Amino acid sequence: MIENYLLVFLVSMVPLLELRFSMPMAMAMDLPYLPALIVCVIGNMLPVPVIYLFARKVLLWGENKPVIGKVFRKFVAKGEAGGRKLAEKAGRGGLFLALMLFVGVPLPGTGAWTGTLAASFLDMGWKSTSAAVSLGVVMAGVIMALGSSGLFAVLGF
């Protein structure tokens, strides 16, 4: 059983998959809901400080390099676009809530990785970023667990 928890933990850290994939995976493995949610949330949150502190700097450094520049520019553009989109939707003072919902609504490209990168491009503070992303990750985990357990199907969604 520990191998299953380790697997969902590691999958939670992978960009694009994150807990949007690992939580349904945990439910398919019949792991208990609460421990699986905790493991998936911790795994999804583990890369957040590294992304916040270093990703933007590394991307900006690499965008003018000959071999890697094109890929880095793509990620810089995605981070800046995500930041602008969040800022536009948030209006004045609503950036925390916008970031939390951006991360928490389990759609492709809206996870902790993208949200943290967007927040770093917006120069959102570390405390606000980590709190909003954490709440969003928990929200996405609950939504994915409920969806994976068939609750939405029972309700007619």
Side-chain angles (χ1 to χ4, degrees):
M1 178 165 303
I2 192 76
E3 298 88 11
N4 291 344
Y5 282 110
L6 181 59
L7 184 59
V8 296
F9 176 79
L10 292 173
V11 169
S12 294
M13 295 186 337
V14 176
L16 300 176
L17 297 180
E18 300 184 35
L19 62 69
R20 285 147 175 76
F21 187 81
S22 64
M23 201 61 207
M25 192 169 127
M27 298 294 94
M29 293 176 175
D30 288 327
L31 295 176
Y33 170 75
L34 190 57
L37 179 63
I38 291 168
V39 167
C40 289
V41 166
I42 291 170
N44 201 185
M45 289 301 299
L46 199 59
V48 167
V50 175
I51 297 164
Y52 184 82
L53 295 172
F54 301 112
R56 178 180 174 186
K57 292 174 185 170
V58 170
L59 290 173
L60 292 173
W61 168 83
E63 69 179 342
N64 294 320
K65 302 297 183 233
V67 176
I68 58 174
K70 184 176 181 181
V71 173
F72 279 45
R73 280 190 298 277
K74 180 179 178 181
F75 284 115
V76 167
K78 183 173 175 125
E80 289 174 343
R84 278 192 307 273
K85 186 176 178 182
L86 272 176
E88 289 169 8
K89 288 186 176 186
R92 296 188 78 154
L95 195 53
F96 180 91
L97 181 61
L99 179 60
M100 183 188 78
L101 293 174
F102 178 81
V103 173
V105 176
L107 297 171
T110 63
W113 283 74
T114 308
T116 304
L117 184 59
S120 74
F121 275 101
L122 287 171
D123 292 321
M124 199 170 160
W126 165 246
K127 288 180 183 179
S128 296
T129 298
S130 60
V133 170
S134 296
L135 290 170
V137 165
V138 170
M139 186 172 120
V142 169
I143 291 169
M144 292 308 300
L146 292 174
S148 300
S149 65
L151 180 64
F152 294 140
V154 170
L155 295 174
F157 292 105

